[in-house]
Amino acid sequence: AAIGGIDALVFTGGIGEHAPYIRERVLHNAQWLGFVCDDHANASAGPRISPAGQRPSAWVIATDEELVIARHTLELLRR
């Protein structure tokens, strides 16, 4: 809001990936920014949980923090 708008909102991590109720509530409370929740897509964890063509868009993106940590560690060990 402070920067005059938003292009997309990405839900990730444990709650972001596995809590459709939380995602729905966040998008409901962000309607003033233009967000719309596609209930069917949200229930199935997307990946896109806003209607196609809707701006701004909302997404559910899976993360694998352990893999990222392992890659960074391997890179440091190789140096």
Side-chain angles (χ1 to χ4, degrees):
I3 59 173
I6 185 170
D7 295 321
L9 181 61
V10 177
F11 293 91
T12 191
I15 292 174
E17 291 177 47
H18 305 291
Y21 175 76
I22 299 296
R23 294 190 301 259
E24 187 278 326
R25 294 304 310 151
V26 168
L27 293 178
H28 175 78
N29 288 326
Q31 286 179 344
W32 64 276
L33 287 168
F35 285 103
V36 176
C37 183
D38 178 325
D39 294 330
H40 177 72
N42 185 39
S44 61
R48 184 182 182 124
I49 61 171
S50 56
Q54 177 70 34
R55 296 276 183 210
S57 58
W59 302 83
V60 176
I61 305 296
T63 58
D64 190 343
E65 293 94 346
E66 291 84 4
L67 179 59
V68 172
I69 292 168
R71 286 179 177 162
H72 285 248
T73 302
L74 183 59
E75 180 183 329
L76 288 171
L77 290 173
R78 287 183 175 162
R79 288 185 191 170

